[in-house]
Each structure stands twice: as C-alpha cells, then as structure tokens.
Amino acid sequence: MKVKFDYDPGRRQGIIVGDCFQEVRERFSVKNPGAQFARMRGRYIPPRIYAITPGGRFDVGLGGEIHKYIEQTYSNSEINLSENFINVTTPKYDRTDIPKLKLKLRDYQEDIIKECLNHGRGVVVLATAGGKTLTIATLLEHEYKNDPTFKCALIVPDLGLVEQTVNDFNDYGCSFTASKWTGKNPLNLSSNVIVCNLGILQSKNSDVSWLEGVDMCIVDEVHKLRRGNKVNKLFKAINTPHIFGFTGTMPEELIDQWNIVGKIGSIIYERNSYELRKDKYISDVKVQVLELDYATQPTYPRNIKTPSERYRVELDFIIHNEFRNNILSGLCNKFNNNALLLVDYIEHGTVLHNHLTNHCSDKKVYFIRGEVALEDRERVKQIMEMEDNVIVVAISKIFSTGINIKNLHYIIFASGGKAKIKTIQSIGRGLRLHKDKAQLIIFDIGDNLRYGR
C-alpha cells in the first residue's frame, strides 16, 4: 500500500495521495451536528465535517498525525515524504543550547524548549500556572542569540495579556526587544518581538501583511483557535514554518483539535495539573460545592417558549436573590485572605459589587469589567499581591485566562455555567505558589433550580 505526502507552497497546504486515501479521510472526519436540523428545515448540509479535502489537501501541521495514523493502521504501508513536506512539518533548529534568564527554568520547562527546537513547530500543553511565559521568553531568547535581527509575532487573547507579557519579559531580563501592538500602541516593526492581541489582528482596519515576514509565530492560549473562528484567516498570511502554540487545555471536540494541530503542528509536549501539583510546582486545590435550596422558585411564564429565555428568567432570579447574595457576603466575611468572585454578566457583577461593598465593610471590594482601564486592572492586581482582605468581582471572560495572582486564596464561581475549558482556566488564576498559601480553595455555588442543576 503506497502513500505519498507532498507540500503545495502556493496554498501552503499538505497533499496526500495513495491507496488508503478514502479510509484516512474518513478517519479524520466527525459528524456534522447541524446536518440533522438542516434536513428538518429542507436544507442540505454534508453529514460529516472533514479535515482533509476531497482533493487530499489538509492544513500542513496535521501531516504528522495523518502519517502516524497510517503507520499504526497499515503495517504494509510504503510512505513517501517529499523534501518540501519534511522541511515544513519538522523545520528543526540547528542550535539547541538553552540560554539563561534571571529566573531559573524548571526541569520540564527545559524539556519543552528542547522539544520546540528539535521539532521546529508544534503545540505545548502545559497546565495553567506552569510557567508558559518564562518558557516562551527563553525560546525567544534562543532565537535572538542565534539571530539578533529575528522577528516574532506573539499573539495573545486580550489587552491585559499584552501588557502582562511585555512586563514579564522585562522582569526576566530578556535581551531581545519587545513591543506592544494594540489599539493604543502603534505597530513597531523595529522590535524583535511584537506582542499583539487578537482584537487588533482581526480588525478590518489593521494591515497584517507584516506577518508574512516573521521568522517565528507563537500563539498563547491556542485553545481559542477553534474551527470557524475568524482568527484562522490570519494563518494564510504567515509564511514561516516555525509556529508554536501554548495552552493549558486543548478543546474537547476533535475537529477543533485538528484545526489547532493543522495550523500549528502536532502536540510536542504535555504536562497536566496533577503532575505539577504532585511535584509542588503549583498550589494544591480543594473544591467546596455549596448547594443552595430556595424556599421560593423562579416562575417560568408559559408564554416563554425557548430554553434560553427561560434560563434568563432563572438568571435574573439568582442575580437579585437576597438569600443568595447574603450567602456570598457571609462567605467573604469569613475570609482573612483575598478572594476572586467570577460572574458572566455585568449586571450580576454590579449587583454583587454593591452588595459586598455594603456588607463587607472591613474589606476592599473592586469590580473588574471590560470598560475598566488596563492600568486600573493592573493596579488592582498589585493591591491583591501586596495586601490581604481584598475582594475582586470580575467578569469571567476577562479574568479566566492568563491573569495570575499569587496572593489569591479563594475563588468563588458565583454564576452558573458548565464550560470545561473556562472552568479549568478560571481555577488556574489562583494556582501560583505563595508563602502564606497552603492551598487554593474553590467555592462552586450550585443552585438547586431547573437550569442550575
């Protein structure tokens, strides 16, 4: 059984041809969840979603996974890899020495950098609070030592992470120059590393043609690179094969995993939260679920037909419920250390902020939402690091990713929700070790209501 892998530089895609092509194409496909509903409405949508086109084309990073599957499945296969395909899927670095910054690397961080240099591209899955930024900084320092003129696009999810990442690079004593490209910070192509957020890259007014000339591209929190997201279009402008993605958690859906691997490369290193806790690199965690029973229940009017509208009725009930809010303020009053309360909606955050301000008189209470200036968010983080008895109510989209606070002992999930990655990422906000923290305690508020259950 003969199979050939090739690379099309014009389209920047891999190509597979061979005797087992149809079977392989089916293997890298999933059921299309929208197909059944489309048929009910008289429209046609293909029953499956494919990662490989009928012509055999695929995102080049997926080549390693396809190759591995064929080797494991067809023992008599004869696989031919073109030189172009090898060069773009495993663009190894010649130099593999690891430079030193101010902070000493942990053993697993050194292993990550070695894997990055040996493979030349790929995804690193490192549990939250495992030190991704220091690892990225050392990888960039290696590139700078090898070529002081190198250019890297470092893509992070939001403005807060742009600021935090550049500040961290300065703290680590990096030799390379790093600049911020945001709505407030102009593009500076003279710097080695341009740290930019997804918003500025996806803006229709932004010129992203400079991406074609970068020597390396790194995507932080790469789990956000889901199939169908607009950010996928950016990769058409990126010419370098040296692309790395870092995340604490890969998405559960196979088609989303294949999309990430296809754009970035195979998973080259993985270390989970349990391993980091066992080796005392991050804080231990205890979870307390507080199940609340209500004397009165929300009313779900019969004229409301959609589940989303009925859920909104229940959400309004818990947001303004005095019993529930008293539970939260009573809980916070028992803390001597800092607490983070995560909510999903501004209205909920406003109500909680006002309630906690009125009922937790000996504590400083802040509310972080989208319109709070970046400088003010940083100021609140610094206050939390320096002081105790601070309560921060925050919108989960803002504080669930990338923000690390060492002096944080309690996290309260004050809203409902069941998104796995957001939950895991939110827990990660408090996993950093601190001299006064024996463990991070999570309080999950479980409302014994129709949707809360």
Side-chain angles (χ1 to χ4, degrees):
M1 183 174 291
K2 294 183 179 181
V3 182
K4 182 179 179 180
F5 286 87
D6 206 347
Y7 176 65
D8 180 352
R11 296 190 181 184
R12 296 173 186 169
Q13 286 184 312
I15 307 170
I16 177 175
V17 293
D19 301 327
C20 59
F21 169 68
Q22 291 301 334
E23 293 92 333
V24 172
R25 184 168 183 258
E26 286 299 320
R27 167 63 181 81
F28 286 88
S29 70
V30 295
K31 285 185 178 180
N32 189 338
Q36 181 179 352
F37 299 103
R39 284 198 300 271
M40 292 169 60
R41 291 172 170 80
R43 294 187 292 117
Y44 175 75
I45 292 181
R48 299 190 70 80
I49 301 172
Y50 291 87
I52 305 173
T53 70
R57 297 179 182 275
F58 55 88
D59 287 336
V60 70
L62 196 58
E65 299 303 304
I66 299 172
H67 184 197
K68 186 179 1 178
Y69 170 74
I70 294 172
E71 278 190 325
Q72 294 173 348
T73 307
Y74 304 98
S75 57
N76 62 337
S77 59
E78 181 183 323
I79 304 174
N80 177 264
L81 307 177
S82 73
E83 185 176 348
N84 284 341
F85 181 81
I86 295 172
N87 290 339
V88 78
T89 53
T90 52
K92 301 179 181 182
Y93 285 91
D94 294 331
R95 289 180 46 175
T96 57
D97 53 306
I98 300 177
K100 293 182 180 179
L101 298 174
K102 285 183 179 179
L103 287 184
K104 184 180 179 181
L105 289 174
R106 298 165 177 172
D107 291 344
Y108 65 83
Q109 291 171 320
E110 286 197 10
D111 292 339
I112 290 171
I113 294 167
K114 288 175 183 175
E115 291 300 317
C116 289
L117 298 177
N118 285 333
H119 288 85
R121 68 184 300 162
V123 175
V124 173
V125 183
L126 177 62
T128 304
K132 293 196 299 291
T133 309
L134 178 59
T135 308
I136 290 170
T138 309
L139 179 62
L140 292 170
E141 187 75 3
H142 170 275
E143 182 71 351
Y144 175 77
K145 296 293 186 184
N146 189 43
D147 177 13
T149 66
F150 93 104
K151 289 282 185 294
C152 174
L154 174 49
I155 303 171
V156 300
D158 54 54
L159 291 171
L161 271 176
V162 173
E163 189 76 25
Q164 179 175 293
T165 301
V166 173
N167 290 342
D168 285 344
F169 288 166
N170 292 330
D171 292 342
Y172 300 154
C174 298
S175 304
F176 57 82
T177 57
S179 64
K180 297 174 281 189
W181 185 38
T182 66
K184 292 183 178 179
N185 304 101
L187 180 63
N188 179 8
L189 291 175
S190 66
S191 57
N192 298 116
V193 180
I194 299 162
V195 185
C196 44
N197 63 303
L198 285 174
I200 192 71
L201 286 170
Q202 295 179 109
S203 170
K204 62 182 180 181
N205 298 320
S206 295
D207 180 7
V208 296
S209 59
W210 63 274
L211 289 172
E212 188 161 353
V214 300
D215 304 294
M216 179 189 291
C217 178
I218 298 177
V219 184
D220 193 16
E221 308 296 352
V222 76
H223 59 269
K224 294 181 178 291
L225 192 63
R226 306 291 183 89
R227 182 182 181 274
N229 288 4
K230 288 193 297 183
V231 68
N232 286 289
K233 295 180 181 179
L234 290 172
F235 287 85
K236 294 180 180 178
I238 297 171
N239 195 33
T240 179
H242 296 297
I243 306 177
F244 299 97
F246 287 76
T247 182
T249 318
M250 286 288 277
E252 290 188 299
E253 297 295 332
L254 271 177
I255 198 68
D256 289 327
Q257 293 179 24
W258 292 334
N259 185 68
I260 292 170
V261 170
K263 300 292 189 298
I264 309 294
S266 298
I267 295 175
I268 56 177
Y269 188 91
E270 197 163 2
R271 192 175 182 92
N272 61 37
S273 183
Y274 169 74
E275 292 171 320
L276 293 180
R277 287 199 308 275
K278 184 181 67 174
D279 295 335
K280 307 297 183 186
Y281 287 125
I282 62 175
S283 176
D284 197 8
V285 181
K286 185 177 183 180
V287 179
Q288 301 277 17
V289 178
L290 304 184
E291 186 174 342
L292 303 188
D293 291 314
Y294 295 86
T296 59
Q297 299 279 312
T299 57
Y300 305 93
R302 292 184 178 181
N303 62 327
I304 295 180
K305 300 188 183 302
T306 66
S308 59
E309 289 179 296
R310 287 195 291 270
Y311 171 70
R312 183 68 211 191
V313 169
E314 185 172 300
L315 189 62
D316 288 339
F317 174 84
I318 68 170
I319 287 174
H320 299 283
N321 189 275
E322 195 70 13
F323 160 71
R324 190 183 198 270
N325 291 333
N326 285 337
I327 291 285
L328 291 171
S329 59
L331 191 60
C332 289
N333 277 323
K334 292 181 181 294
F335 302 155
N336 293 320
N337 300 107
N338 297 336
L340 173 65
L341 283 80
L342 292 171
V343 298
D344 291 334
Y345 298 97
I346 291 178
E347 180 188 5
H348 195 181
T350 302
V351 170
L352 264 184
H353 177 248
N354 293 337
H355 183 88
L356 294 171
T357 301
N358 294 331
H359 291 80
C360 302
S361 56
D362 64 336
K363 298 180 182 293
K364 292 182 178 179
V365 183
Y366 300 95
F367 179 26
I368 303 296
R369 55 201 183 279
E371 59 264 34
V372 174
L374 201 57
E375 296 79 9
D376 292 331
R377 298 183 203 178
E378 289 297 316
R379 181 176 58 84
V380 172
K381 282 172 53 185
Q382 291 170 9
I383 290 172
M384 292 187 79
E385 294 290 13
M386 301 297 294
E387 301 180 22
D388 293 323
N389 278 315
V390 179
I391 300 172
V392 173
V393 180
I395 300 298
S396 57
K397 283 185 178 179
I398 296 175
F399 257 45
S400 68
T401 303
I403 305 297
N404 298 303
I405 303 168
K406 295 178 182 177
N407 191 22
L408 177 60
H409 293 66
Y410 304 97
I411 296 178
I412 302 174
F413 290 125
S415 293
K418 58 183 181 180
K420 178 181 176 181
I421 289 182
K422 188 176 79 171
T423 301
I424 292 173
Q425 292 282 343
S426 297
I427 291 170
R429 299 316 102 222
L431 290 179
R432 296 275 183 175
L433 296 174
H434 187 269
K435 60 183 177 62
D436 298 325
K437 180 166 61 178
Q439 62 182 187
L440 171 70
I441 299 180
I442 305 290
F443 289 96
D444 191 11
I445 309 299
D447 300 289
N448 197 6
L449 300 169
R450 178 187 293 185
Y451 296 101
R453 281 192 290 275

